[in-house]
């Protein structure tokens, strides 16, 4: 099929905060809002952090302390593949008799892809396989840490100032229970301990919001401004005459992956701790229900919740395209697949002339006027050759074939623009949807009432390729 490996040929319109057109395989469906959702229309939440190499799971607070890097796994500084620990035997002098030597195991890091080893940069071997490795120290780390502390203190002050302004506006509406006299009485008789939710020893006045002096007793952090140098270190004399060996010069990517050192030569490349990956959840911004939630275990690729659109919305695909010619009618074969287990009724309609969603069409389209009925999805029917097919009394001029929960149908296309660009057609697809997750309401007779069907409408665009010469 033309759209199987080229999903951008068939796109659906998502009417969220902004209109987005994307393939159905990249969209989600909110069962509570009954609307399509794209990655731009959802809230992204971090569930957990884990190392992609050793699959160690860690909470967000610990990952933040470790700067989102794994303490045990390393990346090759040359090709960015994962480094492995290799063992070798080296001669070492005996402690009793230094004149004699014995074989001793030593461990070093090696890349199985580019053959880089930690010995290439002079890193000492280790006597044990586990534990930390020698890491170069950044000469500017003290200055950077001091700048971080200074700006954290600055951000804390700005937050206090914003909170103070908010409380100043609310002070006129503050109840009598939070007046200065009441606060004094509560503190005097020790009644504030039940009300306090902040650090021990904090006054009840801070609970009322009248005093926001929590961090003001901290030590004042001052930084020295950077000084511009009048004289810079001169270039070496052989800078322009020394021959350049390209294997010894680092690439731009290798330098940017180590911004704290930015090594200029390959002899200065050191292994870097592996970046952590994360599992994230997606939440609908309108109803705040989860659309996607993975399992917590890093070794599992399953989802607790995964409301992808291809599991709920009928999927349109392009099966065959004839030679398209300017102002001539052509017949295109499309397929329509029903992803749900109950029978779905689908109607197609061409876009109106002044439709605000129809902005990319370059051809006129004629769609079937009859209602298309799709059989429910049945996984066992694909392997049951003796199952009797259902009789839907299809019109052969509209339905080309029917197989299980998929049908092939014809549309007619008349290109309206004689251009080199692809021919694009748009139409509306309307189908019924039953939310099977909604609570079942019993009827007066005691029988369960099935979920009511609602009708959903989607805007679909097809890219049929260029005109025939």
């Amino acid at each position: 099929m033309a759209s199987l490996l080229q999903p951008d040929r068939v796109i659906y319109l998502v009417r969220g905060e902004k209109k987005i057109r994307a393939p159905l395989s990249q969209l989600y469906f909110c069962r509570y809002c009954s609307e399509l959702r794209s990655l731009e229309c959802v809230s992204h939440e971090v569930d957990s952090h884990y190392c992609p190499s050793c699959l160690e799971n860690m909470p967000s607070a610990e990952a933040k302390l470790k700067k989102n890097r794994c303490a045990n796994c390393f990346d090759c500084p040359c090709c960015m593949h994962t480094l492995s620990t290799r063992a070798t035997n080296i001669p070492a002098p005996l402690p009793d008799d230094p004149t004699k030597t014995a074989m001793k195991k030593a461990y070093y890091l090696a890349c199985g892809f580019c053959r880089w080893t930690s010995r290439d940069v002079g890193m000492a071997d280790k006597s044990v396989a586990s534990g930390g490795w020698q890491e170069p120290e950044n000469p500017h780390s003290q200055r950077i840490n001091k700048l971080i502390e200074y700006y954290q203190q600055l951000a804390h002050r700005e937050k206090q100032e914003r909170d103070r302004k908010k409380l100043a506006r609310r002070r006129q509406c503050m109840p009598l229970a939070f007046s200065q006299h009441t606060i004094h009485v509560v503190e005097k008789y020790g009644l504030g301990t039940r009300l306090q939710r902040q650090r021990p020893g904090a006054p009840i006045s801070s609970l009322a919001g009248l005093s926001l002096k929590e961090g003001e007793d901290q030590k004042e952090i001052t930084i020295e401004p950077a000084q511009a140098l009048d004289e810079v270190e001169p270039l070496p004399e052989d800078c322009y005459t020394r021959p350049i060996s390209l294997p010894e010069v680092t690439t731009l990517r290798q330098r940017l992956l180590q911004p704290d050192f930015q090594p200029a030569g390959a002899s200065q490349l050191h292994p870097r701790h592996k970046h952590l990956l994360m599992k994230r959840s997606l939440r609908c911004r309108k109803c705040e229900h989860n659309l996607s939630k993975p399992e917590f275990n890093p070794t599992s690729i399953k989802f607790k919740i995964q409301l992808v659109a291809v599991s709920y919305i009928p999927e349109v695909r392009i099966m065959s395209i004839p030679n398209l010619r300017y102002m001539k009618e052509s017949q295109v074969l499309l397929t329509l697949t029903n992803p749900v287990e109950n029978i779905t009724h689908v109607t197609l309609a061409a876009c109106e002339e002044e439709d605000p969603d129809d902005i990319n069409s370059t051809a006129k389209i004629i769609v079937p006027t009859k209602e298309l009925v799709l059989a429910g999805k049945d996984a066992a029917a694909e392997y049951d050759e003796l199952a009797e097919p259902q009789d839907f009394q299809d019109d052969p001029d509209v339905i080309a074939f029917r197989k299980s929960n998929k049908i092939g149908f014809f549309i007619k296309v008349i290109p309206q623009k004689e251009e080199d660009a692809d021919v694009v057609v748009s139409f509306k697809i309307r189908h019924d949807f039953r939310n099977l997750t909604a609570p079942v309401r019993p009827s007066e007779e005691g029988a369960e009432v099935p979920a009511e069907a609602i009708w959903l409408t989607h805007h679909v665009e097809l890219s049929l390729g260029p005109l025939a010469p």
Side-chain angles (χ1 to χ4, degrees):
M1 289 189 180
S3 65
L4 185 61
L5 301 178
Q6 299 175 345
D8 293 336
R9 301 285 296 270
V10 181
I11 57 178
Y12 286 65
L13 176 65
V14 181
R15 299 178 181 87
E17 296 177 357
K18 55 182 180 179
K19 293 184 178 180
I20 296 174
R21 291 168 169 81
L24 193 66
S25 57
Q26 300 177 9
L27 299 178
Y28 295 85
F29 179 73
C30 182
R31 296 180 302 190
Y32 306 93
C33 303
S34 300
E35 295 178 2
L36 288 174
R37 293 284 181 258
S38 68
L39 291 177
E40 303 287 338
C41 312
V42 296
S43 300
H44 300 253
E45 301 174 357
V46 177
D47 279 357
S48 63
H49 294 79
Y50 69 96
C51 174
S53 179
C54 63
L55 297 179
E56 179 188 0
N57 200 355
M58 63 182 68
S60 300
E62 184 181 352
K64 187 177 180 181
L65 289 175
K66 294 183 178 180
K67 299 181 179 179
N68 290 327
R69 291 183 181 271
C70 179
N72 304 319
C73 303
F74 293 86
D75 280 335
C76 175
C78 289
C79 63
M80 295 76 188
H81 281 71
T82 304
L83 294 176
S84 57
T85 304
R86 301 285 179 88
T88 184
N89 293 323
I90 59 174
L94 292 174
D96 300 336
D97 190 358
T99 59
K100 296 182 180 180
T101 60
M103 301 307 291
K104 181 184 177 182
K105 272 199 171 184
Y107 299 90
Y108 64 96
L109 295 174
C111 177
F113 187 78
C114 68
R115 304 301 178 185
W116 181 92
T117 65
S118 57
R119 296 176 171 180
D120 297 344
V121 293
M123 291 179 60
D125 295 343
K126 289 175 51 179
S127 58
V128 291
S130 59
W133 290 83
Q134 176 189 353
E135 297 183 20
E137 185 178 354
N138 186 1
H140 307 289
S141 59
Q142 188 175 359
R143 171 73 174 175
I144 293 173
N145 292 334
K146 201 166 185 180
L147 287 172
I148 291 174
E149 291 177 2
Y150 173 75
Y151 284 108
Q152 283 178 347
Q153 184 187 55
L154 200 63
H156 182 65
R157 286 181 183 174
E158 291 179 353
K159 183 178 182 299
Q160 282 186 335
E161 193 64 31
R162 288 196 300 268
D163 293 343
R164 188 177 287 114
K165 289 180 180 179
K166 288 180 183 177
L167 291 167
R169 291 195 296 266
R170 299 178 189 172
R171 192 169 297 175
Q172 297 177 357
C173 304
M174 193 172 292
L176 184 62
F178 289 109
S179 65
Q180 289 288 355
H181 175 70
T182 306
I183 291 168
H184 172 71
V185 172
V186 169
E187 287 182 350
K188 181 178 178 180
Y189 293 101
L191 301 178
T193 55
R194 291 180 298 174
L195 301 176
Q196 287 179 346
R197 294 183 181 178
Q198 300 180 353
R199 58 182 176 85
I204 191 63
S205 56
S206 61
L207 176 67
L210 298 179
S211 174
L212 289 172
K213 299 181 180 180
E214 263 189 42
E216 293 182 4
D217 55 347
Q218 297 178 358
K219 185 179 177 182
E220 184 75 17
I221 299 176
T222 58
I223 57 171
E224 299 178 1
Q227 299 292 335
L229 300 177
D230 296 333
E231 297 181 1
V232 295
E233 185 179 351
L235 295 173
E237 295 180 359
D238 59 346
C239 179
Y240 297 104
T241 59
R242 182 177 66 247
I244 298 176
S245 177
L246 289 180
E248 297 178 0
V249 180
T250 55
T251 62
L252 184 62
R253 186 186 178 196
Q254 290 171 348
R255 298 186 191 189
L256 294 179
L257 283 174
Q258 300 188 13
D260 44 354
F261 297 101
Q262 298 189 15
S267 60
Q268 304 171 2
L269 290 172
H270 283 75
R272 307 295 294 170
H273 288 277
K274 198 166 198 59
H275 262 296
L276 299 178
L277 299 182
M278 68 174 184
K279 288 194 171 187
R280 62 177 179 177
S281 299
L282 303 179
R283 190 181 296 273
C284 176
R285 291 181 184 173
K286 187 175 180 181
C287 65
E288 297 187 352
H289 283 89
N290 274 320
L291 301 180
S292 175
K293 189 173 183 62
E295 288 190 354
F296 191 75
N297 191 357
T299 61
S300 175
I301 60 172
K302 297 180 180 180
F303 289 85
K304 296 179 181 177
I305 302 173
Q306 182 74 332
L307 305 182
V308 289
V310 290
S311 300
Y312 298 93
I313 307 300
E315 184 181 9
V316 179
R317 287 185 180 178
I318 304 172
M319 188 167 185
S320 67
I321 305 173
N323 292 330
L324 302 175
R325 302 188 183 279
Y326 175 64
M327 296 303 293
K328 290 188 176 180
E329 185 179 288
S330 302
Q331 192 168 253
V332 179
L333 178 59
L334 306 179
T335 64
L336 193 62
T337 306
N338 180 21
V340 296
E341 297 180 353
N342 52 313
I343 295 178
T344 302
H345 301 80
V346 179
T347 57
L348 306 177
C351 296
E352 299 178 357
E353 294 183 1
E354 296 182 357
D355 192 345
D357 298 334
D358 187 16
I359 57 176
N360 299 321
S361 294
T362 60
K364 183 181 178 182
I365 183 173
I366 302 175
V367 297
T369 56
K370 295 184 178 180
E371 184 181 72
L372 307 179
V373 182
L374 299 176
K377 181 181 179 181
D378 186 4
E382 299 180 6
Y383 307 100
D384 189 3
E385 298 179 355
L386 301 178
E388 296 183 0
Q390 303 181 40
D391 185 15
F392 290 98
Q393 299 180 355
D394 298 326
D395 186 355
D397 296 333
V398 176
I399 305 298
F401 68 90
R402 179 183 291 274
K403 182 180 179 181
S404 185
N405 61 326
K406 180 171 67 174
I407 64 170
F409 64 97
F410 298 105
I411 62 170
K412 296 179 181 179
V413 176
I414 306 173
Q416 302 292 316
K417 294 184 179 179
E418 196 172 5
E419 298 176 353
D420 294 336
D422 292 349
V423 177
V424 179
V425 296
S426 304
F427 59 91
K428 306 288 186 183
I429 175 172
R430 187 170 179 266
H431 66 95
D432 57 343
F433 172 74
R434 286 178 173 82
N435 190 359
L436 301 180
T437 61
V440 179
R441 294 174 299 176
S443 62
E444 297 179 356
E445 300 176 357
E448 294 182 350
V449 178
E452 296 182 359
I454 58 174
W455 287 88
L456 306 178
T457 304
H458 307 287
H459 180 84
V460 183
E461 293 184 4
L462 308 177
S463 179
L464 303 178
L467 294 174

